[in-house]
Each structure stands twice: as C-alpha cells, then as structure tokens.
C-alpha cells in the first residue's frame, strides 16, 4: 500500500505517531506566543460590529447539536463541527491574527478553533492543544508550498482555505488519536472538501472572507471524525488518481509535502505577528508610511496624495478592493489621518464620519509594478509609498519586510499592548488580564477549560 501512496502514507504515519515531545523547544515556545496573539484577536471578533461573527454564531446557535465544545462569546456548548465552523470564522474576522507571508496563509485562525474544540471534546491537555496548533500550521504550510501559493492566487484560490483543510485534518487526527490508516482517510476526506475562492473579495460586508477559515476548520474536524468512524475516503489524495495537487496547480512540487518532515518547522517559525489589522500585503507599505510620517513630523493635512507601488501579481487584492481591510485606498488614509489603525475600522467606514479620511481616500492610488516588486512577490510584499505634499515635495520610502516578521519581531511590550488593546474592545481589564494569563499558562494546564470558560463569556465592553 505504501508504494501506491508514498506521500500520503508518509504524512499519515507522521501525524499518527506525533506527540508534543516531537516539537523542538523553540517551536513550542513560538507556538505559545502565536497562540496568545491569536486568542486575543479571536475573542475581539465577538464585538457587535463584526457582522461575520454575529451572523455565523447566530446560525450555529440555531442549528447546532449539543456537545462539549465552546461557542465563543455565546455561553453555549455545541458539537465539535459546529464549534469549528463558528470559531474558525471568528479567528480570521478581525484580520489581525498571525500569518505566513511566503505561503499566503492564516493558519492560526484555523488551528486554534480546531484545537480548542477537539481538546474540549477529548479532554486533552493544554500542551497537546498547542502541539496540535503547531502540527496543523506546519501541514497547512507544506500543502500550500507544494501547490505553489502564487499559482493558487493566480487561479483565484485562497491558499489558507485550500491548504487549511489539510492542516485542520492533521490537527484533528492527532487530537482524536487516529491510526495511520484512519489518518489517510482523514486527509482524503479533507481533500474532497477543499474550497476557497477569492470571490469573497466581492463581499463588502467582509462576512465571506473569514467564513473561509471557518470552512477549513470545519472540514478538518469533520474529516477526522468521519475517518475515526470508518467512513470511506480516497487513500492517495497526494499521490495519484485525481490528485489534489494537480487539481489546483500546474506547477506543483509534491516533494515539498515531506521534505524535512519532523525536523524543519517553517510553517510555524516563519509565521509573522501582525502589527496592523489589515491584509498582510499592505504591512510593509504601512511601515513605510508610518516612517515617513514620523521622520518628517507630518500631519495628514500636509498630504495632498498617497500613492502605493505594489506587485502586479497581488495588486488586485489591494487596489480599490471593495473590502475596507484589503483596500490600499482606505487603509493607508485611515492610518495617515487618524494616527492609528483598529480592527473596527474594517467594519465601521471612517470615510463616512471623518472628512480627512475621505479626502485622502479620494486621492490615493496604486501603481501596479511589473518589475522588481512583482518578481519578489509572494516571498516579499514589497511596498513603496510616495507622499505628494501640499508644498510640492514628494517623499518616498520602500519596505520589503514588515515589522512582526520573524526577521523583525515585535517587542514583548508591543505584543502585550496589542493583546490589551484588542481585548479592551470587548471585555473589562480584569477579564482581559485573566484571559491573558490563561493563554500564557495554557502549556502547563491539565486541560483547556480555564481558557474556554473565559472565551465562552459574552462581550461586556
């Protein structure tokens, strides 16, 4: 059987034999940092302005079956599949969670809800929940890189959703204790459910965008649960027949699924923590913008026009996108005019209430680069900002690697401040402090109940 499906079998065998002790210490340490950041952003998404979170949780409250899994912000326990769907949607709703620049992924948004749901259902320890997060992120990364994330984007697919289904299946298989044979089927069933059209960019409410992460979490959890019950599935999803890699890519490199498996953890260690609540493509440009504003002591009133140069291959995602969080013509003016950027700006249109934001937004434009910027994408989201000032000067700055990338990590004080600021939108300082402590001590917790009990509570701010 292994000769029939060497790649699928190799992955399944690794997942079936995985234990938290298999993680190098530095990988677990960074997973703990990533998880705390993701947990804060996840809970912030319960804010009443986040329509995707309100809509999906209302839906799940109406249709979900009873279970052991927390529906975040609703003081309700539901079945694992429903919890993964709803909480996975919350995970990406604020667009502020850790991401993988090269592989164009948001795996933390998928893996924390997956890990929490099945850790509650199976009585797993905090260390096991964190290990599942790391495993799922790594498998998501490997699937994306094997398919080629730029190829996926060019075809109109979101790598996070396509590859995320496999990562969630791997995390769920580990937490459910699946055998190698069962894990083969879980991966096969996840492959059947892969989905994720970038068509969500045409939903200005930004409900469809995070829904894709909810689907990935749901797909992985349901696949593993069905496999555990003996449900049939393709047994060579990465190897032959209508192989999933070739379905999504003409330039797939299947060997990237297994190269360095168990020793190289780039799917975790290369994750970046967002300093800005917007599409990650804009983060280098935001750094450049902030640098120009600060270095030249500029006010927004001195700016006549904001111009962004960005790679042609990714420009469709940021050039006048209907989604506020993906529109350079919105995000850059908000930061310039308001002196900050909040995840709530994605759901409350500041152009309608702030004349200065509206003025700058009307002036902003994107130049689609077909040269060096395009060549660097998606390994680097290079952005050049040009500010045309009212006195006739033109200032420019280019950024290649944003703050929050592993090469330029955020300081601990910045991470703490981010957690405090996002949770302050939905809960009291005392509850935010308790949530931070539960996230920080999850590794040593006998189970995840302390954390999930806090996440279950309705917003109080």
């Amino acid at each position: 059987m292994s000769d029939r499906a060497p790649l699928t079998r190799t992955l399944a065998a690794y997942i079936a034999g995985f234990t938290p002790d298999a993680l190098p210490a530095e990988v677990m340490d960074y997973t703990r940092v990533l998880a705390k950041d993701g947990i804060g952003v996840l809970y912030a998404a319960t804010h009443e302005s986040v329509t995707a979170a309100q809509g999906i949780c209302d839906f799940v409250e109406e249709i979900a079956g009873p279970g052991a899994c927390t529906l975040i912000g609703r003081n309700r326990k539901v079945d694992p599949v429903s919890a993964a769907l709803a909480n996975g949607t919350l995970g990406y709703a604020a667009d502020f969670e850790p991401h993988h620049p090269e592989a164009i992924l948001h795996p933390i948004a998928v893996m924390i809800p997956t890990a929490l749901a099945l850790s509650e259902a199976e009585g797993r320890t905090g260390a096991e929940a964190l290990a599942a997060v790391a495993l799922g992120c790594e498998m998501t990364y490997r699937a994306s890189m094997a398919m080629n994330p730029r190829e996926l984007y060019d075809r109109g697919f979101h790598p996070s959703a396509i590859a995320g289904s496999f990562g969630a299946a791997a995390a769920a298989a580990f937490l459910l204790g699946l055998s190698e044979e069962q894990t083969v089927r879980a991966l096969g069933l996840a492959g059947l459910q892969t989905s994720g059209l970038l068509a969500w960019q045409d939903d200005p409410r930004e409900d469809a965008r995070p829904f894709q992460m909810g689907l990935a979490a749901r797909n992985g959890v349901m696949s593993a649960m069905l496999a555990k019950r003996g449900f049939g599935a393709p047994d060579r999803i990465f190897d032959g027949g209508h192989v999933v890699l070739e379905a999504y890519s003409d330039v797939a490199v299947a060997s990237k699924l297994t190269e360095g498996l168990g020793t190289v953890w780039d799917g975790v260690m290369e994750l970046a923590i967002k300093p800005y609540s917007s599409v990650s493509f804009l983060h280098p440009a935001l750094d450049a913008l902030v640098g120009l504003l600060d270095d030249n002591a500029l006010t927004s009133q001195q700016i006549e026009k904001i111009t962004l140069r960005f790679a042609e291959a990714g420009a469709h995602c940021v050039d006048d996108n209907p989604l506020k969080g993906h529109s350079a013509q919105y995000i850059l003016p908000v930061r310039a005019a308001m002196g900050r950027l909040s995840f709530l700006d994605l759901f409350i249109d500041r152009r309608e209430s702030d004349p200065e934001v509206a003025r700058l937004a009307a002036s902003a434009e994107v130049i689609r680069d077909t040269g060096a910027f395009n060549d660097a994408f998606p390994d680097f989201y290079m952005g050049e900002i040009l500010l045309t000032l009212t006195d006739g000067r033109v200032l420019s700055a280019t950024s290649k690697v944003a703050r929050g990338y592993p090469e330029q990590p955020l300081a601990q004080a910045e991470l703490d401040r981010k957690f405090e600021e996002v949770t302050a939108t939905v809960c009291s300082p005392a509850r935010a402090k308790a949530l931070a402590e539960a996230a920080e001590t999850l590794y040593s917790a006998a189970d995840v109940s302390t954390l999930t009990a806090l996440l279950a509570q309705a917003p109080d701010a």
Side-chain angles (χ1 to χ4, degrees):
M1 183 66 76
S2 60
D3 291 340
R4 172 180 166 86
L7 290 169
T8 307
R9 285 281 169 180
T10 297
L11 289 173
Y14 180 77
I15 295 165
F18 179 75
T19 67
D21 293 338
L23 283 180
E26 64 271 18
V27 177
M28 177 58 87
D29 288 345
Y30 194 43
T31 301
R32 294 170 68 180
V33 174
L34 296 164
K36 182 189 174 185
D37 185 79
I39 287 165
V41 172
L42 173 66
Y43 192 58
T46 61
H47 193 280
E48 63 182 3
S49 297
V50 184
T51 57
Q54 298 302 321
I56 201 70
C57 288
D58 287 348
F59 171 75
V60 166
E61 279 202 297
E62 180 180 339
I63 63 95
C69 307
T70 294
L71 183 59
I72 292 174
R74 295 298 178 112
N75 283 307
R76 170 120 180 244
K77 299 277 192 178
V78 297
D79 63 275
V81 174
S82 297
L85 172 64
N87 298 339
T89 301
L90 268 66
Y92 184 39
D95 209 355
F96 210 3
E97 75 303 319
H99 67 105
H100 198 291
E102 179 190 18
I104 319 181
L105 296 172
H106 305 271
I108 289 291
V110 177
M111 299 316 145
I112 290 177
T114 298
L116 290 181
L118 288 178
S119 293
E120 283 191 287
E122 299 295 313
R124 292 290 197 160
T125 67
E128 288 170 326
L130 288 165
V133 170
L135 177 64
C137 288
E138 181 64 24
M139 293 301 164
T140 302
Y141 167 78
R142 289 172 175 273
S144 179
M145 296 305 292
M147 294 179 188
N148 188 304
R150 181 164 176 169
E151 171 81 353
L152 289 172
Y153 244 78
D154 288 346
R155 287 185 171 212
F157 292 114
H158 199 177
S160 290
I162 304 295
S165 295
F166 292 112
F174 160 65
L175 292 169
L176 289 169
L178 299 194
S179 67
E180 178 182 333
E181 183 60 42
Q182 291 170 326
T183 303
V184 166
R185 293 202 301 273
L187 293 172
L189 291 169
L192 295 181
Q193 297 183 84
T194 49
S195 60
L197 287 175
L198 288 167
W200 51 258
Q201 292 181 7
D202 294 319
D203 171 20
R205 281 172 59 93
E206 299 217 26
D207 292 352
R209 172 180 58 78
F211 178 59
Q212 304 238 338
M213 302 307 107
L215 290 177
R218 182 207 67 181
N219 294 347
V221 168
M222 184 162 62
S223 296
M225 292 180 70
L226 284 170
K228 187 173 184 177
R229 287 159 174 75
F231 199 83
D235 66 356
R236 51 176 185 157
I237 195 66
F238 294 117
D239 290 279
H242 293 286
V243 61
V244 70
L245 301 181
E246 294 173 1
Y248 288 107
S249 177
D250 287 329
V251 294
V253 180
S255 61
K256 291 189 176 184
L257 288 167
T258 56
E259 288 174 353
L261 184 63
T263 59
V264 180
W265 289 87
D266 289 348
V268 177
M269 301 306 292
E270 292 182 351
L271 284 169
I273 296 178
K274 288 187 171 186
Y276 308 107
S277 53
S278 74
V279 63
S280 55
F281 288 2
L282 291 176
H283 287 198
L286 281 161
D287 277 348
L289 173 64
V290 171
L292 286 174
L293 294 171
D294 292 348
D295 293 346
N296 295 278
L298 295 174
T299 65
S300 64
Q301 288 78 13
Q302 293 174 271
I303 302 171
E304 182 177 301
K305 181 179 182 180
I306 300 175
T307 302
L308 166 67
R309 183 183 303 278
F310 194 76
E312 166 68 30
H316 65 280
C317 190
V318 300
D319 187 5
D320 208 21
N321 194 303
L323 278 66
K324 291 184 286 295
H326 283 61
S327 175
Q329 287 90 338
Y330 177 75
I331 290 296
L332 298 175
V334 168
R335 178 60 184 83
M338 303 189 72
R340 57 107 189 104
L341 192 59
S342 166
F343 77 91
L344 293 177
D345 297 328
L346 278 59
F347 305 97
I348 302 171
D349 194 335
R350 303 303 179 183
R351 291 167 296 195
E352 297 177 356
S353 58
D354 191 310
E356 186 65 0
V357 173
R359 180 185 72 82
L360 288 177
S363 80
E365 70 169 349
V366 173
I367 297 174
R368 298 186 174 212
D369 183 88
T370 58
F373 287 63
N374 198 56
D375 293 341
F377 183 87
D379 293 346
F380 298 99
Y381 304 158
M382 290 172 58
E384 180 187 22
I385 292 291
L386 297 98
L387 296 181
T388 303
L389 304 185
T390 55
D391 63 10
R393 288 181 297 157
V394 177
L395 305 178
S396 67
T398 300
S399 179
K400 185 176 182 180
V401 176
R403 290 186 313 115
Y405 284 36
E407 301 95 316
Q408 296 190 58
L410 299 179
Q412 186 60 51
E414 293 179 283
L415 295 173
D416 292 341
R417 185 165 59 250
K418 175 183 174 180
F419 190 95
E420 291 167 3
E421 288 176 354
V422 297
T423 54
T425 63
V426 289
C427 67
S428 66
R431 187 135 65 86
K433 183 178 179 180
L435 183 60
E437 183 177 353
E440 290 166 1
T441 59
L442 182 60
Y443 176 73
S444 58
D447 54 44
V448 300
S449 61
T450 298
L451 175 60
T452 54
L454 289 164
L455 291 173
Q457 296 179 41
D460 64 9

